[in-house]
Amino acid sequence: MIPLIGRRLLMAFLTLILVSLIVFVAVEALPGDMASAYLGRDATPESLAVLREEFGLNAPAYQRYLTWFGGFLRGDLGDSLVRNKPIMEVIGNNLRNTIVLAMTASAVGIPLAIALGVFAALTRDRWPDIIVSTISIFGMTLPEFVTGTFLIYIFAIKLKWFKGVATMPSDAPIDAEFFQIIMLPVLTLTLVMMAHILRLVRTSMIDVMISDYVQMARLKGVPAWGIVFRHALPNAMLPTINIVALTIAWLLGGVLIIERVFNFPGIGNLMINGISDRDLALVQAIAIILAAFYIGINLLADLASLVLNPRLRTARGH
Amino acid sequence: MSEKLVDIRDLTVGYHTKYGRLVHVLRNVNLQIEPGETLGLVGESGCGKSTLGQAMMGFLRSGSKILGGQVKYQGLDMFKLSSKELEGIRGKQIALIPQNAGQSLTPTLRVGKQIMEALDLNAGIKGEEAKERTVELLGQVQLPTPDEMATRYPHELSGGQQQRVAVAMALAGNPDMLVLDEPTTGLDVTTQAHILELLRDVVKEMGTAMMYISHDLGVIARVSDRISVMYAGEKVEDATARQLFKTPSHPYTRGLLESIPRLTLSGIPKSMPGQPPLPGTLPGCHFEPRCQFATDICRQEAPKLESISKTPDDSKKGFGDHLARCHHWEELTKTDFSEELKEVYQDVRKEISTEPAITITDVEISYYRPGFLDNLMGTPHPPATVSGINLTVNRGETVALVGESGSGKSTIVRTVSGLLPAKEGAISFEKFDLTTDVDDRPKELQKRIQMIFQNPDASLNPRHSVDDILDQPLKLYFPDMPQEERDKRKRSLLDRVRLDYRYLTRFPAQMSGGEKQRVAIARAFAAEPEVVLCDEVTSALDVSVQAAVLDLLADLQKEHGTTYIFITHDLAVVRAFADRVAVLYQGRLCEVGTVDEIYSPPFHPYAQMLLGAALEPDPDMEPLLIGGDTPESSPPATGCPFQRRCPVRVGEICDTTMPAWVRPEGSIDHQIRCHIPIPELHAMQTESVAAD
């Protein structure tokens, strides 16, 4: 098992290097560089040269890549010229906000999706299943800005239960009020992401419930709860791990549209601002951070599969 | 009578199809089982055996329902109990040993945990005591190192070991009754024989009653006190095991018995055409369409299950009634069945040319693919899966490769077919080199060597009609053939595999297992091949269908002079069908010879073990169990491949030196590879047969 984990870790790191290269090359390929983006129309050849010298932009590309990627590994992403601050400082709070939002949505949505999926499977083709499945299909097919806007209309404008827009600074403390503000974004995200997990859990639970070993457990006299929780669910969860991971990664990736709809100071919003300001260093930094999240979460999903699936865990050799 | 453990009265079970039609599965079944008795339940697939077994536990497949009658277990009506009460009976009093233990154990729980769960639920044993009892149970089912076995996951066990765990789990609640649904189907002969002996011992020791469901009359004969024969949802015959095998009194029972290939009789058994109708769809006898004794009365009037004789019974429980459901039973029982049986087997021996078709020389095959790191570090290669194979298959001959699973039979055939590369050695077919990949072979060669697979469900594309399936090889190998000619060929192919031309429009899902396998055979023969590789082609089929398929293959061979390489683990099928046999263990040849030579001493110790474990449909025949059945996962690096399991190993020489081929005196083809001198081997084996 240890060499298996080692192999996965190595692969994850190689993927990260590859992604960082792509991000770096993509930004390089854009017309102009940071200096011209910073100075904009006021640029004179002289001022550009001075700036390039100051920020080390004259060094060959591979050297700049190594400096940048090395910095990233050490947690230093350089400075944002547009915002005149170290990038870590610019990103910090927004990243924190997005993480809190994503984690809250995951904490609410994933267990709920699994529970409802199991519930739907157990009441297969009867009305509880039909209701759950129908709602989940709506959640899946409606674009998230429609769902979000709809929820704002109902809960913020009509019922006035929650705030419709996140009117808070990015460094707002994470307190009760914070959670009150993110209620609606969380609800929207939950609705949108739940369907994928729920439907997969339902299908795989149905498959497991008709398997020989569940039938055997019934004939062995195992009570219903034992069948569901001991014999069926751990097996039904295996195929869903990856979709759960993808969902979490998607949430962390800064759900651009939701953050925009609710004007939430998260990393997605920041990225859009960065693009419109032509703050290349910022965009580049966010891209690599998001990639790292994706890779990291998928690595965790692989490891979770290892823990849950004895077939993989006890595999000898390969 | 209140002493009955199980009392099933007039049980009728059915379900509604999608279109609302009522289909019966069981009709008016009566069945009684006494404490400690073993009842064998036999019949082709689709006869309602499994449904009956499940109904005994108060369980029906979803959709099915009881239409009449009742199932009483110790006086309790199983279908009137609440689910709570049922939980109290299942596992504690009646336990199930399933068909496929591998799929019936929860993959994410260690086997020890699963047994402890059964102990907790069914015997109220918890904690440390449960742990001890689990190890004890695993020891009782003869698993080696039981305490270590308990910590394994189901996938870390072999098929036989999984089945033993299932037995241990069933015994956890100390039940009065075991229901066994084909528990040894799919296991190797040796493993099967060991599991059956284990069950017999357990039952004797604990006084447990068993209901043993199987389509294999050899297995049924070995374990049953009494046998019920099921046909189309009805019981058609019921007698003590000895009586049933001696005087089968229903044409169906006779048909089943006649279709079994036997170790003691060479030649292909008689096949029983047709398949069971849906229960309750005929006004008269349901077996009438397939019955050679049928007369008008059979078509008009359904026969009753009547007592035809009382047979003296060695068990004092007094179940001496011999029941049969046939208008003509008197006629049937007039003649001596065992004499009749001898005439049933038609010998297919034929002249075999001495011209070689396929020559295999020093072939070695390995699945091991060293990775980058392995090459870098020079990891030593494990011994090859298959090694040192020398075998000549002559034209028009059937050569059987036999051995347990993992013996390399399929590996060799896959290499001959070009699906797997050989690491060393040569395989030649005329001027062609068969070590080339199938894609690199000239089309002419591809056409001349065809393969038929074990499972037609997997080898036929479910979305292709029979017409498409047969059209493809015709188009591929005869590109110039016009459409009309192809259509004609397809019909004649179907005709040759005895299927109506109307089958052309069917899809695999609309056919029975036997029909699908015939389509697979027709597809192989569409190419007009000279060599056909058959990989366990009958092992997924009912005995009655198996006989028909063997018969068909023999006919095709006679007609076209086809050469077969035939893989099977069933030694009786080999006896029936093959001309020569090669016995394999761990990818190495042990013994080669003609069928008659292989089936009489001297044997290679491994061949003797295999033959001893094979079961005959005869309650008085006991298997001769030699050595264990613990499978090995890889061949030994040096010496005789059988060294670790051999009951007669000589000593160190077995571990270090591969024995040379020795020809027993007076034989031409027979060769054995053993360090024990042949005369000694021969003497030892005739002795042990005599002692038995």
Side-chain angles (χ1 to χ4, degrees), chain A residues 7 211-224 226-227 230-232 234-235 238 308-316, chain B residues 54 57 59 87 90-92 94 96-98 100 103-110 113-115 117-118 121-122 153 155-156 169 373:
Chain A
R7 212 169 272 217
S211 71
D212 286 353
Y213 55 85
V214 166
Q215 186 176 323
M216 182 69 206
R218 286 171 68 184
L219 292 179
K220 196 162 98 178
V222 179
I227 287 177
R230 263 176 81 87
H231 291 269
N235 288 291
L238 291 178
L308 272 174
N309 192 345
R311 255 170 220 279
L312 294 177
R313 192 178 345 144
T314 55
R316 293 170 226 282
Chain B
Q54 289 171 343
M57 304 194 70
F59 181 85
E87 272 167 24
R90 289 177 184 163
K92 286 190 194 69
I94 310 182
L96 176 80
I97 297 180
N100 189 335
Q103 288 172 16
S104 300
L105 297 171
T106 305
T108 46
L109 290 175
R110 294 176 198 273
K113 277 259 161 63
Q114 299 192 47
I115 294 175
E117 184 184 35
L121 289 166
N122 302 326
Y153 286 97
H155 73 273
E156 296 176 284
M169 201 154 78
L373 275 178

Side-chain angles (χ1 to χ4, degrees), chain B residues 90-272:
Chain B
R90 289 177 184 163
K92 286 190 194 69
Q93 300 183 39
I94 310 182
L96 176 80
I97 297 180
Q99 171 162 18
N100 189 335
Q103 288 172 16
S104 300
L105 297 171
T106 305
T108 46
L109 290 175
R110 294 176 198 273
V111 297
K113 277 259 161 63
Q114 299 192 47
I115 294 175
M116 280 167 68
E117 184 184 35
L119 282 169
D120 177 15
L121 289 166
N122 302 326
I125 302 175
K126 284 190 192 11
E128 275 308 304
E129 200 191 342
K131 251 185 214 158
E132 279 164 32
R133 183 85 185 104
T134 300
V135 174
E136 218 174 283
L137 279 167
L138 290 173
Q140 197 183 352
V141 294
Q142 291 157 19
L143 279 168
T145 61
D147 39 350
E148 190 262 331
M149 284 286 168
T151 65
R152 294 205 189 177
Y153 286 97
H155 73 273
E156 296 176 284
L157 303 175
S158 72
Q161 290 171 334
Q162 289 170 340
Q163 200 62 54
R164 280 163 205 264
V165 169
V167 174
M169 201 154 78
L171 296 179
N174 210 351
D176 300 318
M177 170 91 208
L178 290 176
V179 177
L180 302 101
D181 191 352
E182 304 260 14
T184 62
T185 308
L187 299 179
D188 279 319
V189 270
T190 41
T191 314
Q192 164 170 293
H194 277 96
I195 300 253
L196 289 181
E197 291 318 293
L198 169 70
L199 285 171
R200 281 170 59 101
D201 290 348
V202 163
V203 164
K204 206 188 288 166
E205 196 181 306
M206 305 175 66
T208 319
M210 289 205 287
M211 171 145 141
Y212 199 104
I213 302 169
S214 178
H215 71 279
D216 184 335
L217 281 158
V219 171
I220 288 280
R222 184 67 195 132
V223 294
S224 310
D225 299 319
R226 197 158 55 90
I227 296 170
S228 288
V229 183
M230 296 289 294
Y231 186 75
E234 290 178 326
K235 197 159 90 171
V236 294
E237 189 166 356
D238 189 314
T240 61
R242 206 157 273 129
Q243 173 70 9
L244 189 96
F245 282 99
K246 199 173 124 239
T247 323
S249 305
H250 192 282
Y252 180 60
T253 315
R254 293 173 74 114
L256 283 180
L257 284 169
E258 286 166 354
S259 58
I260 311 172
R262 294 180 190 240
L263 290 169
T264 45
L265 297 165
S266 71
I268 292 185
K270 196 164 138 188
S271 59
M272 193 169 19

Side-chain angles (χ1 to χ4, degrees), chain A residues 172-186:
Chain A
I174 298 180
D175 50 17
E177 198 196 337
F178 186 93
F179 282 104
Q180 229 245 314
I181 289 171
I182 65 171
M183 240 13 230
L184 274 186
V186 163

